[in-house]
Amino acid sequence: MIKGRWLLLLIAAFFLMFAVACAADKAPVDDGKSEDKKDDTEDQDNKGGESSNGGISGKLEIQYFVGGYGDAWWKEVISDFKAQYPDVEVIEHAGPNINEEMRSRWVAGNPPDVVYIDGAGSSETQMVEDGQLMNLTEWAKGITLEDGTPLLESFIAEPSTYDGELYSLPLVFDAWGTWYDMALFEEKGYEVPSDFESFMNTMKEIKDNEGIEPFVTTGQYPYYFSRGILYPAFAAYGGNELLADIITGKEGAWETDEVREIMRNVEKMVDAGFVDSGVGALNHTQSQMNFLLHKNAFIPVGFWLPNEMANDTPDDFVYGYIPSPMNRKGDPMAIVPDLRPLAIAEDAENPEAAKAFVEFVFKKEYALRFSELTGAILNLKGVDLSQSDEVPDYLIQANAMINDPEKVQIYYKPHPMSADLEIPISDALVSLLLGNISADEFIERAEKAAADYRSENQ
């Protein structure tokens, strides 16, 4: 019996040692760090940041509008970014209606990390006023190009600022202007206008000879006329100060002598029958199509026009571009850059990856590639477009013209006009272009819209 007890005790001790050894293999002793490490890993996967090797990781959501520039450049850049940052999962939200499709997420405080602000339904100023964009003022000071040049010193046109603060970086340098068919003008001997007087003379000659209403724009998006015709006129007559007063809704800006003269010039265009009488019903693509078919001879659009209409452009059509000729005779024509910025959401889930992407796209190689793929200009100085055979001739010619101070003067607006101000002014502008109200009546409505805007934002 004694031997039996010892045998049982030895067997029990053996099984106990075996159990402890197995437990040690499968479940290490908790040192208080395992749970924390698990939580950190889950948070890393969800929100991104730096991966184990010190790189950028996590999900990165990018929203970009696809319009006249297409999306080929975006696809190429994002592909290169993913190759450099393999730990980042890029989720693209893109398309011609993306601003409307993503609106609910912005309102709900769940926006994408990076947003390219362009196209209908987007307004940088509105987003800043609504607190949706991250303040980039201090961070942007440390961004440099490949050669070490500070990015903020490398822009063709400076970023928009709001009370001295920076909420976006200007990616695309667009310049609204007036387009015409160079082949038609050379064939018929029409003068390319350089001021408002010659503009009116050429439109009269075209109307008489061709039997068409020479000027067309889109009434469904009246800001095409504001940005393409009125802004250059305001700048040419009153410089950056008048332009800024109009943009910010300053009291009395619309009632100045300069603005009154400009709006009466617009009224002269309407009264002479130079503006397409069906403008109110035209969207931007239909107005551009009518222009290509020579139903009209002039149209105010940005640099994206040839690329957007490439599949519909007649073989014998040759794009010609000039700054909108609304200036007085003897004065240089005026250009007001219309910048398309990149911004980071204030509520970005992965701000570190967002910053990495924004830095990544500002390279001169991508600037040249942008001109090749879109026929437009990235907002970086020192990019020689003539070095590439893929850059269209009209862009090279326009770029040379823009940089000739004897012919063209560049002006700058402080930031885009708020949608709360632009929309009511646009409604009145359509009425003016249709001949339903006079220039003076338009000014009254515009001044009231500015007063309402000021009262709502004081």
Side-chain angles (χ1 to χ4, degrees), residues 98 126-127 129 187 269 340 351 362 427:
I98 195 62
Q126 197 70 48
M127 296 176 86
E129 291 175 349
E187 176 189 349
M269 292 171 58
R340 308 287 197 272
F362 284 101
D427 292 341

Side-chain angles (χ1 to χ4, degrees), residues 109-150:
N110 178 34
D113 302 288
V114 175
V115 58
Y116 166 64
I117 305 174
D118 189 9
S122 68
S123 170
E124 177 188 357
T125 301
Q126 197 70 48
M127 296 176 86
V128 172
E129 291 175 349
D130 292 343
Q132 294 176 334
L133 302 182
M134 181 184 295
N135 190 319
L136 307 179
T137 308
E138 293 303 318
W139 172 70
K141 294 176 182 178
I143 303 176
T144 59
L145 300 182
E146 306 95 307
D147 61 1
T149 306

Side-chain angles (χ1 to χ4, degrees), residues 352-373:
E352 294 306 316
K355 290 177 180 179
F357 180 78
V358 171
E359 285 192 58
F360 184 83
V361 303
F362 284 101
K363 292 182 172 63
K364 290 187 177 180
E365 62 176 292
Y366 290 139
L368 180 61
R369 196 72 182 118
F370 187 81
S371 293
E372 291 174 340
L373 292 171

Side-chain angles (χ1 to χ4, degrees), residues 65-74 116 118 172-175 302-305 307-308 338 340 370 373-377:
F65 169 78
V66 180
Y69 302 136
D71 63 358
W73 182 84
W74 286 100
Y116 166 64
D118 189 9
V172 178
F173 177 97
D174 208 325
F303 279 143
W304 68 84
L305 174 65
N307 188 66
E308 183 173 33
D338 198 33
R340 308 287 197 272
F370 187 81
L373 292 171
T374 70
I377 300 174

